[in-house]
Amino acid sequence: AIRDLLSLDVQAAHDGDPAAKHIDEVMLCYPCIRALTTHRFAHAMVQVGVPLLPRIMQEHTHSDTGIDIHPAAAIGESFFIDHGTGVVIGETAIIGNYCKVYQGVTLGARSFEKDEQGAIKRGTKRHPTLGNHVTVYAAATILGGDTRIGNHCVVAGGVFLSKSVPDGHIVCGPRPDIRLIANPDRPDLS
């Protein structure tokens, strides 16, 4: 079952990246495949109650790839992380099928519930859910356990999102005001 999921991840990377020349390149060179290989095995261990080892595996891969996926995060089939550096996927995140995220994406917690003594409550849903066929572009941050990004949505780069989005939408942030200022240290270009 893990091999089947990884085959779909490799195919998703090949199909989703025009720079990929062939499947072997994707399997041998793409950091997302290494991170997802570790995740798929670590997640299976979490599901059967293996303690600590899944976290050790994932943290080792995180240090090598720059992709930080908690082993308890639920990731559907055909997942692709393009480039990957700086991606963070939290413990209670749920990612549907045929999703794609780019570098610098965070699927994180918005806040932590506390008990009567002020200690953090564990075991609560803290991270967002992505539906099927969701694309999240570079440096987007999606926070909160009650945040759901619907099926067939696109989240533009740099967006900060902490509320749900219904199916079939594109989420864009405000357009920056771009200014061009002449560089006083440039050589004479005439």
Side-chain angles (χ1 to χ4, degrees):
I2 292 172
R3 181 185 171 132
D4 291 344
L5 284 172
L6 289 169
S7 293
L8 293 171
D9 295 334
V10 168
Q11 191 65 53
H14 181 266
D15 294 347
D17 186 359
K21 303 293 186 250
H22 46 78
I23 294 291
D24 291 343
E25 177 186 14
V26 171
M27 289 190 310
L28 296 172
C29 301
Y30 279 47
C32 71
I33 299 305
R34 181 163 181 197
L36 288 171
T37 299
T38 300
H39 176 75
R40 299 287 187 196
F41 281 100
H43 186 71
M45 288 183 211
V46 165
Q47 289 182 311
V48 297
V50 175
L52 193 55
L53 183 59
R55 274 306 288 273
I56 293 169
M57 292 167 53
Q58 204 73 56
E59 289 305 324
H60 180 72
T61 300
H62 173 208
S63 67
D64 287 345
T65 64
I67 299 170
D68 183 2
I69 307 172
H70 193 286
I75 299 176
E77 64 183 45
S78 298
F79 184 52
F80 177 37
I81 303 170
D82 201 351
H83 300 285
T85 303
V87 167
V88 176
I89 300 172
E91 176 186 25
T92 62
I94 299 170
I95 299 173
N97 299 324
Y98 309 104
C99 291
K100 181 182 196 178
V101 301
Y102 284 78
Q103 68 276 9
V105 166
T106 297
L107 303 179
R110 181 173 49 241
S111 61
F112 304 109
E113 286 186 60
K114 296 187 177 182
D115 65 19
E116 301 78 35
Q117 288 77 36
I120 294 173
K121 283 186 178 180
R122 301 187 189 284
T124 61
K125 175 93 165 89
R126 302 180 311 280
H127 304 92
T129 297
L130 304 184
N132 298 320
H133 300 278
V134 173
T135 299
V136 183
Y137 283 100
T141 299
I142 305 172
L143 303 179
D146 58 348
T147 303
R148 183 184 186 284
I149 309 305
N151 298 324
H152 300 281
C153 283
V154 175
V155 178
V159 165
F160 184 92
L161 189 58
S162 60
K163 63 180 185 176
S164 294
V165 176
D167 293 350
H169 283 82
I170 298 172
V171 181
C172 301
R175 288 190 175 212
D177 183 24
I178 304 295
R179 298 178 9 208
L180 297 177
I181 300 170
N183 182 353
D185 296 330
R186 73 169 191 223
D188 183 20
L189 300 175
S190 53

